[in-house]
């Protein structure tokens, strides 16, 4: 099984989760490419059995130029003027029915609305993907760190996606 994990990260938390997803996928035998958004191709060469895309939740959804600039003012490593997951999905060319999953990081506060994972899932579905699942992982603040246990939860979630993608391939 070939999987690709594409991520946008400002403070490193979403990047760390993406790496944990790779661990969970490879533990189940998947061959995985981990791709930061700045290097993500708009078309994948060859078959991709599972596309996973993730970003931090900003202003109740996917980061925008303005929210990236705000993160840069707070010390984010990602350049504010760079395109992110939102813009990449708009350019992405997928085969109809491409199995995909989305994830995000978001502040750990009850009843806080919005999710970059859900927003990315809607946009990927509009591009022809079949969304298997979306998942949020929690950080303590905009800058992080991740809440204890989230990396383990990410590994377990990714491992379960291998089975979901296999079932989707058969059906």
């Amino acid at each position: 099984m070939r999987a690709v994990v594409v991520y946008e990260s400002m403070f490193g938390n979403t990047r760390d989760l993406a790496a944990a997803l790779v661990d969970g996928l490879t533990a189940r035998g998947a061959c995985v490419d981990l791709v930061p958004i700045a290097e993500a191709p708009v078309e994948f060469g060859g078959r991709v059995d599972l596309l996973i895309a993730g970003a931090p939740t900003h202003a109740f959804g996917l980061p925008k130029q303005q929210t990236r600039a705000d993160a840069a003012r707070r010390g984010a490593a990602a350049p504010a003027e760079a395109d992110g997951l939102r813009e990449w999905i708009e350019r992405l060319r997928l085969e109809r029915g491409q199995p995909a999953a989305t994830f995000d990081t978001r502040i750990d506060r009850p009843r806080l609305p919005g999710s970059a994972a859900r927003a990315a899932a809607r946009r990927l579905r509009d591009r022809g993907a079949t969304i298997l699942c979306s998942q949020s992982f929690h950080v303590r603040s905009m800058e992080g760190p991740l809440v204890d246990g989230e990396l383990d939860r990410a590994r377990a979630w990714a491992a379960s996606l291998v089975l979901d993608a296999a079932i989707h391939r058969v059906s």
Side-chain angles (χ1 to χ4, degrees):
M1 172 186 184
R2 179 176 177 218
V4 176
V5 179
V6 175
Y7 68 92
E8 175 180 359
S9 187
M10 305 289 154
F11 296 97
N13 300 296
T14 310
R15 178 201 59 224
D16 293 347
L17 280 168
L21 296 175
V22 170
D23 292 344
L25 292 164
T26 56
R28 288 288 176 102
C31 177
V32 188
D33 295 324
L34 179 62
V35 185
I37 195 64
E39 299 170 17
V42 293
E43 190 168 3
F44 297 103
R47 180 183 173 133
V48 173
D49 298 300
L50 177 62
L51 170 63
I52 302 175
T57 298
H58 283 194
F60 313 115
L62 283 165
K64 303 178 237 215
Q65 213 67 42
Q66 180 181 1
T67 63
R68 285 187 207 102
D70 181 51
R73 283 190 292 279
R74 292 172 172 242
E81 67 282 353
D83 283 347
L85 195 67
R86 170 190 297 266
E87 295 83 6
W88 176 74
I89 291 172
E90 293 305 315
R91 295 188 306 269
L92 185 60
R93 292 187 298 274
L94 292 175
E95 288 187 26
R96 182 144 302 284
Q98 169 66 58
T102 60
F103 72 99
D104 66 23
T105 50
R106 52 184 300 178
I107 295 174
D108 186 22
R109 288 200 192 112
R111 297 184 295 267
L112 190 63
S115 164
R118 287 194 305 266
R122 279 191 304 275
R123 290 169 183 268
L124 283 168
R125 190 176 299 113
D126 290 347
R127 307 290 298 169
T130 297
I131 304 301
L132 302 178
C133 150
S134 294
Q135 184 66 52
S136 290
F137 298 94
H138 296 106
V139 292
R140 296 198 190 286
S141 71
M142 181 180 189
E143 297 85 5
L146 288 161
V147 169
D148 292 342
E150 291 299 82
L151 293 175
D152 289 335
R153 198 164 69 85
R155 287 181 197 98
W157 180 66
S160 73
L161 288 174
V162 172
L163 180 59
D164 291 347
I167 290 169
H168 178 77
R169 247 190 346 254
V170 172
S171 57

